[in-house]
Amino acid sequence: MCGRLNVIADPLCHWVSEQLGLDFITEDKKDLRPTDPVTAIGLEQGKLRSWHCRWGIQPQWSKRPLINARIETVNHKSTFAEAFSNRRMLVPVSGWFEWQQRPGGKQKWLLRGAEGQPLYMAAIGFEHEQERRLVTLTTRPNHQCQHIHSRMPLLIAPGEVDFFLRSHVDALQPLLQAEVRVALALDPVNDRAVDSPNLSLF
């Protein structure tokens, strides 16, 4: 499984810094892929801060990096449960790319905030050989995305950031079970359609 994120530093850094009250700095990464570094936000001693992380983990039992976990099972699987309880994070992005299966090939889409606002993708953090890593969380698609793919990122609205990062996992269930309510714009991308089974992020 492959993935693509879209990070445009300006205005992403300004938006995130204003919304969350921290000095958020990142770089343009218009086609960010698994195992690439990405800037994420989490808690340290009760305060918001950002880290440079690498997207994906590779347990010994896995033949390839794991880049995401299903929110329906993340609290029960041994690989993810401890991180979900103690190291929830957010990945601010400008959008993500998804490929829609169509007769004759795949259509590429850019999914972004409806008003250009940042999207906060839920994630969980790990540390491996003194390097921070993360895995993004996925959920069922909302009404906007369901015609494109069977999964989508769990997106956290700015007003729910503190609640997501600080709450006990039991208190999170209503948020996790609800349909994603972040308004999105869906833009078709005119790249040549590629018929590959390994393009989907989720």
Side-chain angles (χ1 to χ4, degrees):
M1 185 181 296
C2 189
R4 301 288 189 272
L5 305 181
N6 180 250
V7 176
I8 308 299
D10 183 12
L12 183 66
C13 293
H14 173 76
W15 275 89
V16 175
S17 298
E18 287 288 315
Q19 289 179 345
L20 303 187
L22 78 164
D23 189 15
F24 181 78
I25 299 174
T26 192
E27 298 177 352
D28 284 347
K29 295 176 182 176
K30 297 180 180 180
D31 189 38
L32 194 151
R33 305 179 179 209
T35 74
D36 283 351
V38 61
T39 307
I41 292 170
L43 293 175
E44 184 176 66
Q45 297 181 344
K47 295 183 179 180
L48 286 178
R49 63 154 295 176
S50 61
W51 291 278
H52 297 297
C53 303
R54 195 167 295 278
W55 184 20
I57 61 172
Q58 187 153 5
Q60 291 183 346
W61 52 265
S62 178
K63 295 182 179 179
R64 60 185 181 183
L66 305 179
I67 63 170
N68 58 64
R70 289 175 174 256
I71 198 61
E72 296 90 345
T73 58
V74 68
N75 199 31
H76 307 294
K77 290 195 172 183
S78 58
T79 303
F80 305 123
E82 191 273 336
F84 183 65
S85 293
N86 300 305
R87 291 185 301 280
R88 291 188 296 276
M89 307 182 78
L90 295 166
V91 182
V93 298
S94 304
W96 82 95
F97 295 105
E98 190 53 88
W99 280 259
Q100 178 188 25
Q101 182 66 58
R102 288 183 171 181
K106 290 181 168 72
Q107 171 63 54
K108 184 178 180 181
W109 293 85
L110 171 63
L111 298 94
R112 58 180 179 83
E115 298 179 1
Q117 74 274 25
L119 302 176
Y120 296 103
M121 295 175 56
I124 50 178
F126 299 83
E127 190 163 319
H128 177 69
E129 297 180 351
Q130 299 183 329
E131 181 181 50
R132 291 187 180 273
R133 295 175 177 260
L134 61 81
V135 167
T136 51
L137 303 181
T138 72
T139 187
R140 66 187 186 278
N142 64 11
H143 67 283
Q144 291 183 280
C145 301
Q146 61 188 3
H147 69 288
I148 293 179
H149 200 270
S150 61
R151 303 294 292 178
M152 70 176 291
L154 176 63
L155 301 176
I156 305 299
E160 296 173 327
V161 164
D162 266 7
F163 179 72
F164 174 74
L165 293 177
R166 299 179 189 276
S167 297
H168 187 276
V169 291
D170 292 340
L172 290 174
Q173 293 312 305
L175 173 64
L176 304 181
Q177 294 170 6
E179 180 178 282
V180 170
R181 297 184 294 271
V182 177
L184 298 171
L186 284 64
D187 300 330
V189 179
N190 292 325
D191 287 0
R192 180 183 172 190
V194 178
D195 189 11
S196 168
N198 298 315
L199 286 174
S200 176
L201 173 55
F202 307 113

